[in-house]
Amino acid sequence: MSESTLIRKALAVVRPVFRLDLRDGIHGVSHWSRVWFHGRRIAATMQVNPSLVAWFAYLHDSQRHNDGRDPLHGHRAADFAARLRRERVIVELSGSEFEHLCEAMRLHSDGHTESEPAIRACWDADRLDLYRVGIRPLPRLLCTDAARHPLTIRQACRLASGLRRAGD
Ligand SMILES: [Fe+2]
């Protein structure tokens, strides 16, 4: 399955259940697409299956109840993924990759920096988009070499802000 087909499939299952502002929200589809952009690049440097970071990008915030404090949203996202796995929607991942996906989602907002490469790739893909809410990602709070690179952070800030030189 091509990556674009996977993304279309993910959007088709997430869109009907998403409770917040899909188009303009800080946890909506533009955030998911940037997380996927970052995650794909990080995954390529770490021999991580890009399908894993694609599912993370489009699922990890899909079960939020609000755009603020919602500490269980990652757990709900993992539960949702388990349902999609049972229904044979998520078929691109091995058993261990699927476990990594769920673990990455459960813990993604807890600030951890140590775990399996696939999980760290997912966390950093999300953290690189923090500038959309005015937070510049700090290298010491990232957990992959690819994401910590100054050019990566600068580009991510620029992408998140939509301003050409905002990350400089
Ligand atoms: Fe996120």
Side-chain angles (χ1 to χ4, degrees), residues 123-141:
W123 290 344
D124 274 4
D126 190 28
R127 289 167 191 172
L128 278 175
D129 198 38
L130 277 170
Y131 199 70
R132 77 194 188 285
V133 290
I135 299 169
R136 183 181 300 274
L138 295 174
R140 67 182 168 81
L141 301 181

Side-chain angles (χ1 to χ4, degrees), residues 16-89:
V17 300
F18 190 59
R19 298 166 179 81
L20 307 176
D21 185 339
L22 183 75
R23 206 189 68 170
D24 298 321
I26 58 171
H27 297 105
V29 70
S30 62
H31 169 55
W32 306 341
S33 66
R34 288 189 298 269
V35 173
W36 165 226
F37 173 82
H38 299 311
R40 180 166 50 177
R41 291 175 59 174
I42 297 168
T45 69
M46 301 174 75
Q47 280 95 47
V48 167
N49 182 349
S51 296
L52 193 161
V53 291
W55 278 115
F56 175 85
Y58 286 85
L59 291 180
H60 75 286
D61 281 333
S62 68
Q63 302 299 313
R64 275 188 163 273
H65 289 170
N66 60 65
D67 279 320
R69 188 174 148 70
D70 184 1
L72 293 180
H73 76 278
H75 291 261
R76 289 194 298 271
D79 292 344
F80 182 50
R83 196 184 99 196
L84 297 175
R85 183 74 163 176
R86 281 195 303 275
E87 293 173 353
R88 301 197 181 283
V89 177

